[in-house]
Amino acid sequence: MSAVFDLLERPTYTMAQVDRLLGLPSGTARRWIDGYVRNGKPYPPVVREEHTGEDYATWGEFVETRLLSEFRSAGVPLINMRPAIEVLRAETGSPYPLAHSANLITSVGRELVKRVQDEVNLDEALQLVVLRNGQFMLTPPAETYMNAVRFNKRGDAVSIYPDPEFREIVIDPLRAFGEPVVDDRAVPTEVIAEQVRAGDSEEMVAELYELSPEQVRAAVLFELRRSA
């Protein structure tokens, strides 16, 4: 088993942490990742192959939930995306087909996604790829997701930019227990913001952690936005 596959399978967050890190309403991650029951009717998970009852999400599940979060305002139940993901799992042999850039960057991968979407009659509002002027193009939600995820040379998701306006800040499962950090030094943004709130100047904090004042400022603004 590869190290990257181990990473995607690594239990990383509680469901509550996934909601917090992705800015989702409480309980959303659990419904999407592990399914739920409403009025006695079970609804299968979108992300997992089947309900497990586990409170922890793997890194691969977190990454795919990040993609689903882009479709929250689609007006179509996200459970409708499950058939497409199931077929993509079978076609790619990966439990996390949307955590690999090849399926959304390369023309072959996009063609596969488009074919699967058509096979399962996926709602237009939930589609990842469209055919435009003879080319397979990402839809806006899929493009936003791809710009938020950092992939390694093999095309596997290894970290996420939690806010597109602050590219200095990343979420990396192997650093700071997966909490948002300033990329260069892996200093948690929460630690930086707490020290500034306690009265330390941004310049002092920057010197303490060997960061630039711009990085410290980005961490403070990021945490302010998260708590708003």
Side-chain angles (χ1 to χ4, degrees), residues 2 56 73 76 98 106 118 141 151 171 183 196 212 215 224:
S2 71
Y56 278 87
S73 61
V76 178
L98 300 177
T106 68
D118 294 343
F151 300 90
I171 292 176
D183 198 9
V196 173
S212 70
Q215 289 173 318
L224 282 174

mmCIF file of all heavy atoms in Angstrom, residues 2 56 73 76 98 106 118 141 151 171 183 196 212 215 224:
data_model
loop_
_atom_site.group_PDB
_atom_site.id
_atom_site.type_symbol
_atom_site.label_atom_id
_atom_site.label_comp_id
_atom_site.label_asym_id
_atom_site.label_seq_id
_atom_site.Cartn_x
_atom_site.Cartn_y
_atom_site.Cartn_z
ATOM 1 N N SER A 2 0.556 2.211 -0.842
ATOM 2 C CA SER A 2 1.393 3.396 -0.956
ATOM 3 C C SER A 2 1.210 4.311 0.225
ATOM 4 O O SER A 2 0.197 4.283 0.919
ATOM 5 C CB SER A 2 1.050 4.160 -2.238
ATOM 6 O OG SER A 2 -0.214 4.780 -2.116
ATOM 7 N N TYR A 56 -15.067 9.470 13.135
ATOM 8 C CA TYR A 56 -13.889 10.070 12.518
ATOM 9 C C TYR A 56 -13.965 9.993 10.997
ATOM 10 O O TYR A 56 -14.407 8.985 10.441
ATOM 11 C CB TYR A 56 -12.615 9.364 12.995
ATOM 12 C CG TYR A 56 -12.135 9.869 14.339
ATOM 13 C CD1 TYR A 56 -12.622 9.306 15.516
ATOM 14 C CD2 TYR A 56 -11.224 10.907 14.421
ATOM 15 C CE1 TYR A 56 -12.201 9.777 16.750
ATOM 16 C CE2 TYR A 56 -10.801 11.379 15.657
ATOM 17 C CZ TYR A 56 -11.291 10.816 16.815
ATOM 18 O OH TYR A 56 -10.885 11.283 18.034
ATOM 19 N N SER A 73 -25.381 25.220 -2.349
ATOM 20 C CA SER A 73 -26.440 26.124 -2.806
ATOM 21 C C SER A 73 -27.064 25.674 -4.125
ATOM 22 O O SER A 73 -27.781 26.441 -4.766
ATOM 23 C CB SER A 73 -25.883 27.544 -2.973
ATOM 24 O OG SER A 73 -24.837 27.562 -3.939
ATOM 25 N N VAL A 76 -30.374 21.183 -5.113
ATOM 26 C CA VAL A 76 -30.644 19.774 -5.411
ATOM 27 C C VAL A 76 -30.019 18.943 -4.298
ATOM 28 O O VAL A 76 -28.876 19.200 -3.902
ATOM 29 C CB VAL A 76 -30.045 19.363 -6.769
ATOM 30 C CG1 VAL A 76 -30.299 17.883 -7.039
ATOM 31 C CG2 VAL A 76 -30.623 20.219 -7.890
ATOM 32 N N LEU A 98 -12.514 11.376 -6.236
ATOM 33 C CA LEU A 98 -12.492 12.828 -6.404
ATOM 34 C C LEU A 98 -11.368 13.491 -5.624
ATOM 35 O O LEU A 98 -11.259 14.708 -5.607
ATOM 36 C CB LEU A 98 -13.842 13.419 -5.994
ATOM 37 C CG LEU A 98 -15.031 12.881 -6.809
ATOM 38 C CD1 LEU A 98 -16.335 13.458 -6.298
ATOM 39 C CD2 LEU A 98 -14.855 13.188 -8.290
ATOM 40 N N THR A 106 -6.978 16.041 -16.256
ATOM 41 C CA THR A 106 -6.643 15.503 -17.576
ATOM 42 C C THR A 106 -7.897 15.366 -18.435
ATOM 43 O O THR A 106 -9.010 15.184 -17.937
ATOM 44 C CB THR A 106 -5.972 14.124 -17.462
ATOM 45 O OG1 THR A 106 -6.942 13.179 -16.975
ATOM 46 C CG2 THR A 106 -4.785 14.165 -16.515
ATOM 47 N N ASP A 118 -23.454 11.359 -17.357
ATOM 48 C CA ASP A 118 -24.524 11.091 -18.320
ATOM 49 C C ASP A 118 -25.181 9.740 -18.061
ATOM 50 O O ASP A 118 -26.402 9.597 -18.179
ATOM 51 C CB ASP A 118 -23.972 11.138 -19.749
ATOM 52 C CG ASP A 118 -23.509 12.530 -20.154
ATOM 53 O OD1 ASP A 118 -23.901 13.501 -19.466
ATOM 54 O OD2 ASP A 118 -22.758 12.645 -21.136
ATOM 55 N N PRO A 141 -18.227 25.143 -9.531
ATOM 56 C CA PRO A 141 -17.935 24.524 -8.230
ATOM 57 C C PRO A 141 -16.720 23.605 -8.277
ATOM 58 O O PRO A 141 -15.900 23.602 -7.350
ATOM 59 C CB PRO A 141 -19.216 23.744 -7.912
ATOM 60 C CG PRO A 141 -20.276 24.416 -8.689
ATOM 61 C CD PRO A 141 -19.612 24.854 -9.958
ATOM 62 N N PHE A 151 -2.167 19.204 -4.911
ATOM 63 C CA PHE A 151 -1.902 17.822 -5.266
ATOM 64 C C PHE A 151 -0.399 17.594 -5.410
ATOM 65 O O PHE A 151 0.349 18.506 -5.767
ATOM 66 C CB PHE A 151 -2.586 17.476 -6.591
ATOM 67 C CG PHE A 151 -4.084 17.632 -6.565
ATOM 68 C CD1 PHE A 151 -4.667 18.838 -6.918
ATOM 69 C CD2 PHE A 151 -4.906 16.583 -6.193
ATOM 70 C CE1 PHE A 151 -6.052 18.995 -6.895
ATOM 71 C CE2 PHE A 151 -6.289 16.726 -6.169
ATOM 72 C CZ PHE A 151 -6.867 17.932 -6.519
ATOM 73 N N ILE A 171 -4.354 23.594 5.125
ATOM 74 C CA ILE A 171 -4.736 22.492 6.009
ATOM 75 C C ILE A 171 -4.011 21.257 5.489
ATOM 76 O O ILE A 171 -4.210 20.850 4.344
ATOM 77 C CB ILE A 171 -6.251 22.260 6.007
ATOM 78 C CG1 ILE A 171 -6.965 23.442 6.676
ATOM 79 C CG2 ILE A 171 -6.603 20.962 6.713
ATOM 80 C CD1 ILE A 171 -8.480 23.337 6.626
ATOM 81 N N ASP A 183 1.756 28.241 6.055
ATOM 82 C CA ASP A 183 2.390 27.177 5.285
ATOM 83 C C ASP A 183 3.885 27.032 5.558
ATOM 84 O O ASP A 183 4.385 25.937 5.781
ATOM 85 C CB ASP A 183 2.156 27.432 3.793
ATOM 86 C CG ASP A 183 2.385 26.190 2.945
ATOM 87 O OD1 ASP A 183 2.563 25.108 3.516
ATOM 88 O OD2 ASP A 183 2.387 26.313 1.719
ATOM 89 N N VAL A 196 -2.009 37.649 19.199
ATOM 90 C CA VAL A 196 -2.321 39.029 18.814
ATOM 91 C C VAL A 196 -3.486 39.552 19.644
ATOM 92 O O VAL A 196 -3.477 40.697 20.101
ATOM 93 C CB VAL A 196 -2.619 39.106 17.299
ATOM 94 C CG1 VAL A 196 -3.118 40.509 16.919
ATOM 95 C CG2 VAL A 196 -1.365 38.761 16.494
ATOM 96 N N SER A 212 6.735 36.389 8.144
ATOM 97 C CA SER A 212 6.657 37.763 7.674
ATOM 98 C C SER A 212 5.440 38.430 8.311
ATOM 99 O O SER A 212 4.469 37.742 8.685
ATOM 100 C CB SER A 212 6.519 37.808 6.153
ATOM 101 O OG SER A 212 5.246 37.329 5.753
ATOM 102 N N GLN A 215 2.284 37.337 6.647
ATOM 103 C CA GLN A 215 1.774 36.018 7.020
ATOM 104 C C GLN A 215 1.004 36.070 8.328
ATOM 105 O O GLN A 215 -0.037 35.427 8.484
ATOM 106 C CB GLN A 215 2.931 35.018 7.116
ATOM 107 C CG GLN A 215 3.538 34.643 5.773
ATOM 108 C CD GLN A 215 4.782 33.800 5.925
ATOM 109 O OE1 GLN A 215 5.624 34.078 6.794
ATOM 110 N NE2 GLN A 215 4.919 32.773 5.095
ATOM 111 N N LEU A 224 -10.337 35.672 12.097
ATOM 112 C CA LEU A 224 -11.479 36.577 12.287
ATOM 113 C C LEU A 224 -12.633 36.178 11.380
ATOM 114 O O LEU A 224 -13.801 36.170 11.796
ATOM 115 C CB LEU A 224 -11.049 38.019 11.981
ATOM 116 C CG LEU A 224 -10.249 38.740 13.066
ATOM 117 C CD1 LEU A 224 -9.768 40.096 12.545
ATOM 118 C CD2 LEU A 224 -11.093 38.932 14.323
#
